Amino acid sequence: MGSKRFNPDPVSMNTDEKIIWYSITYTYLFWVLGAMYIVAPVIGWILLLRMAKRYIFEREDFVITPAQLCWIFGMCIMLIALVIAHFDFELGIPKLIKSSIGWAKGWALLAVFPLLGSLKIRPELIYRACCVVSKHTLIILPFCILAWLAGLPSTLYVSPLSIIGGPGPEFFSVSLYEIDPGSGTPRWRLFTPWAPALGMMGNLFLNFAIQEKERRYKVYGILGSLVMVLVSQSRLAIVCYLLLLGYFAFIRWHKSPWLYFVASPSALILGLLGVHVLEKIELSISAIKSARAGSTRVREHLGQIALQRWANEALVWGHGIVERGPHLVEYMPIGSHHTWFGLLFVKGLVGAIALALPLICSLLSLISEISKSPVAASAIAVLLQLFLYTFGENLEILAYLFWPGLVIVGIAHKRKGQ
């Protein structure tokens, strides 16, 4: 069904689509309830159980591709690495159970949601739902800005649901704004646990807004996504936003002779001025880092500690659990703010390979469809964004937020498999 004829009326949706639709469009309701961290794992595993029931008892066939199976294999390897590391360091059964539950709410979702893309879920539904959340953001954000101007408390409350357990209270809190400790300026994180994560979601929503066909919702999506990126004040989010715009512009115009007419002399000029351009790029990178020098310093030290301890103490299977860092890194968890460093520290070389292989397999599987299928182009953008964010975030902690992107990846694989 084409996006122009997409109708979000619940009557036109099947049960799986209704679950997806309401789970996304009720984002701010779940935020107020402090339930955001819980929703994604619950709906993910419920939909997977429904899928298994229909396959076993109703003999319903699903198109499942090797790339989707690769995600399942990789995330199962993550669990195996976790178990072996716990036994290696004699961490005990209680910690093993706790870590396994954490795996089910984090890394496992990177396999569950791409697999759910094999259900009868229209990508247009996800695009529209995310544009609706962008619209809600444009409505709610002014009140959060007024709360800062009025000097109201930054965090209203922490939901009682935090008793369930999670990475920290910020995943269950309702925060109107936050003050950056380095610059003293306000930042907003809204329904995410920290401001850079809001920038990440802004980029994901930009991707989906570009796919939306109805002008009104497209405008909501693009404006809402841009606002999220700007108020997050995330350097990585701004870079990713510009790259996504360039990516989709290239896909749209790559067959136009004007593109090559402009690109040819540009490439010649770039070659002549290459050294000067590289110097400007280096200066720009330095300026970006110095914009939040304290944060950059902490991230660098976290990475160095993670690599040293991984190489010297747990090369193959990792340490099994996250450990608190020293005062030098403001007691932040070792390996945080970087997926690869975190994986090497917690799950060793095996864990890093278990993530790299599915990412590469998915990308190689869909790359041939990039100019033929808008869904494949969107899915590749999701994969590229996730790869870029592996250098600034821990993906497993934020899987409960970007899961709609994983479903789009699954849908793209299913359509190619068909």
Side-chain angles (χ1 to χ4, degrees), residues 184-233:
T185 57
R187 305 171 78 185
W188 284 266
R189 59 186 178 94
L190 300 178
F191 57 88
T192 66
W194 42 74
L198 181 65
M200 182 183 190
M201 294 306 295
N203 280 285
L204 185 67
F205 289 176
L206 170 67
N207 179 350
F208 296 160
I210 289 173
Q211 311 306 321
E212 174 61 49
K213 298 300 181 183
E214 188 169 327
R215 181 179 296 273
R216 179 164 57 103
Y217 285 99
K218 193 181 195 75
V219 171
Y220 289 146
I222 292 176
L223 286 180
S225 65
L226 178 60
V227 166
M228 287 186 221
V229 168
L230 293 178
V231 301
S232 73
Q233 297 186 30

Side-chain angles (χ1 to χ4, degrees), residues 77-87 96 99-100 103 320 347:
I77 292 297
M78 292 276 193
L79 181 60
I80 293 172
L82 182 150
V83 172
I84 292 176
H86 275 68
F87 281 113
L96 176 59
S99 297
S100 298
W103 169 85
K347 294 181 174 62

Side-chain angles (χ1 to χ4, degrees), residues 325-376:
H327 175 69
L328 177 67
V329 292
E330 301 176 8
Y331 304 108
M332 289 187 178
I334 298 174
S336 60
H337 299 82
H338 199 294
T339 295
W340 302 110
F341 292 161
L343 269 177
L344 289 172
F345 182 80
V346 178
K347 294 181 174 62
L349 186 61
V350 171
I353 294 173
L355 174 62
L357 282 179
L359 276 172
I360 294 171
C361 288
S362 273
L363 192 59
L364 293 179
S365 174
L366 295 174
I367 198 72
S368 62
E369 304 290 313
I370 191 170
S371 60
K372 306 173 188 176
S373 167
V375 178

Side-chain angles (χ1 to χ4, degrees), residues 269-282:
I269 294 172
L270 185 63
L272 295 173
L273 304 176
V275 175
H276 181 68
V277 171
L278 287 175
E279 289 177 353
K280 289 292 185 182
I281 292 174
E282 289 177 358

Side-chain angles (χ1 to χ4, degrees), residues 300-318:
E300 289 177 351
H301 287 313
L302 281 170
Q304 291 169 2
I305 294 171
L307 287 177
Q308 289 174 2
R309 291 197 54 189
W310 159 68
N312 295 327
E313 300 172 9
L315 185 66
V316 178
W317 300 105

Side-chain angles (χ1 to χ4, degrees), residues 2-56:
S3 293
K4 289 183 179 179
R5 290 175 288 173
F6 172 68
N7 178 16
D9 182 0
V11 176
S12 68
M13 301 180 194
N14 59 49
T15 303
D16 298 331
E17 287 184 326
K18 287 180 182 178
I19 293 174
I20 296 289
W21 172 262
Y22 291 119
S23 297
I24 298 175
T25 56
Y26 284 7
T27 288
Y28 279 101
L29 173 61
F30 296 135
W31 170 61
V32 170
L33 297 175
M36 281 293 296
Y37 184 70
I38 301 171
V39 172
V42 168
I43 69 161
W45 288 104
I46 286 177
L47 286 173
L48 183 63
L49 290 174
R50 281 173 50 84
M51 187 178 183
K53 169 182 168 290
R54 283 147 60 182
Y55 178 76
I56 296 171

